[in-house]
Amino acid sequence: MRYRVPTEHDYDALHALDLAALRHTDPAFDTLPPREREGRICTTLPALKFYERSEHSFVAEDDGVLHGFIFAQSVWQGDRPVVLVRTVALAPHAQAATAEGLLHATVKSAYDTAVYEVHFAVTPALEAAALAEGAHVLGRYAVRHLGTRADTAPGQKLGPSELPELGR
């Protein structure tokens, strides 16, 4: 498996891989409202152009076929940068080690640019990769979707009984 920076020549394959991964993760993807489908797709043309230049995004390629991608970017925190992983998408046929290779490529690129923290959600696809990288789990990663997407967004919706008691 070869891990490399995505190029403009990968755009169509990345979009197809993104859709295949979304449909594999959620078989009802095509029945979701259009706005929710659009919100889950991370391979729009502006996003692809951005992540191609981010220095921390990679594709996993073998014999000219893409098996996955990781989109990440450097984010300034006021006192230091961190690399924030937006998404990891794997082809349904991808080997488990593909996610590990993608995350490792991002970790290495962060280190090579003197960024010493990589932040990512520990999704099922990244559990083994997080373990292999020796990641520290600092809690759960949550996203608050605003507007109508709050009703159909992916992930488990937190309920009152799932929140830690603060200040007690």
Side-chain angles (χ1 to χ4, degrees), residues 15 18-19 22-23 26 28-44 86 149 152-154:
H15 187 69
D18 189 18
L19 287 172
L22 289 166
R23 288 175 177 132
D26 184 357
F29 175 78
D30 290 317
T31 65
L32 294 170
R35 187 175 177 124
E36 180 59 31
R37 287 193 314 265
E38 291 168 13
R40 292 188 189 190
I41 293 171
C42 62
T43 53
T44 62
R86 175 188 181 187
R149 282 204 64 214
T152 56

Side-chain angles (χ1 to χ4, degrees), residues 119-137:
H119 293 229
F120 58 95
V122 184
T123 62
L126 284 178
E127 284 183 40
L131 180 64
E133 288 295 331
H136 293 236
V137 177

Side-chain angles (χ1 to χ4, degrees), residues 64-78:
V65 176
L66 296 185
H67 293 267
F69 64 85
I70 187 168
F71 285 167
Q73 64 179 313
S74 184
V75 178
W76 182 247
Q77 299 295 310

Side-chain angles (χ1 to χ4, degrees), residues 11 33 63 82 90 153 168:
Y11 288 2
D63 290 329
V82 301
L90 302 174
R168 293 187 187 186

